[in-house]
Amino acid sequence: MERKEFKVKQDILFIAVPLIFDFLFLIGALFLSSPWKWILSALALIFAGIVIWQSRPFLKNFELILTPKGLRVRDIRGNTVREVEWKKVEAAAAGYKKTWLIYTYSFYFRVRGDEDVLFGLVTREQGLTGKFQQFMKVFVRKKIPVQVVKA
């Protein structure tokens, strides 16, 4: 039996790895002599702040769930950020770009009378656009035009 939901979420590895390297840089800086210790420690903390600041959109839109009833966007804590029924959706599009072993996906839903839903995803999983297109064709009752674009 096929699952009646399409679920994608961010790969937390792309946020955790820079923070781990930054933490190791901070620990190494603490073992240096006094003036360099403070300079490099401050740089490490600034870089950690930048990584966390730039990761905010990924943490706010962490998971996209498509069901036969509608779509739902959740944050990293599992709280629903946005929920839309299929009868309000006019069109859907998915795009992807492959860079080395990393896939960047974009899912776009045009919503009638409301703000459009745009979901960006960075992951190592391939073939999500095909699964998205297949889900939209099989489980969504309303005929919604779906377009898949490769960048």
Side-chain angles (χ1 to χ4, degrees), residues 16-27:
V17 169
L19 287 177
I20 289 171
F21 282 124
D22 193 58
F23 182 69
L24 293 174
F25 184 65
L26 176 65
I27 290 174

Side-chain angles (χ1 to χ4, degrees), residues 71-113:
L71 65 103
R72 198 172 31 229
V73 178
R74 291 186 178 168
D75 63 4
I76 194 165
R77 288 182 244 132
N79 301 329
T80 301
V81 176
R82 183 93 188 266
E83 193 164 0
V84 178
E85 294 179 0
W86 287 121
K87 62 184 175 184
K88 291 184 174 183
V89 177
E90 294 178 346
Y96 72 98
K97 181 179 180 182
K98 180 181 179 186
T99 308
W100 198 39
L101 297 174
I102 300 170
Y103 291 88
T104 305
Y105 293 97
S106 297
F107 297 99
Y108 174 78
F109 302 93
R110 179 174 294 166
V111 180
R112 183 180 338 112

Side-chain angles (χ1 to χ4, degrees), residues 10 20 26 30 32 34-35 42-43 55 59 64-65 81 83 93 101 113 115 120-123 125 139 149:
Q10 302 292 343
I20 289 171
L26 176 65
L30 293 176
L32 294 175
S34 185
L43 280 175
S55 300
L59 299 176
L64 174 69
I65 303 170
V81 176
E83 193 164 0
L101 297 174
E115 186 179 338
L121 176 69
V122 179
T123 186
E125 189 175 346
F139 291 112
V149 180

Side-chain angles (χ1 to χ4, degrees), residues 21-70:
F21 282 124
D22 193 58
F23 182 69
L24 293 174
F25 184 65
L26 176 65
I27 290 174
L30 293 176
F31 289 108
L32 294 175
S33 63
S34 185
W36 289 106
K37 176 192 308 187
W38 299 113
I39 293 170
L40 294 178
S41 296
L43 280 175
L45 291 175
I46 289 169
F47 288 146
I50 290 171
V51 168
I52 292 171
W53 181 263
Q54 290 180 342
S55 300
R56 285 182 314 128
F58 292 120
L59 299 176
K60 191 177 287 184
N61 293 333
F62 187 72
E63 183 176 27
L64 174 69
I65 303 170
L66 304 179
T67 63
K69 294 180 181 179

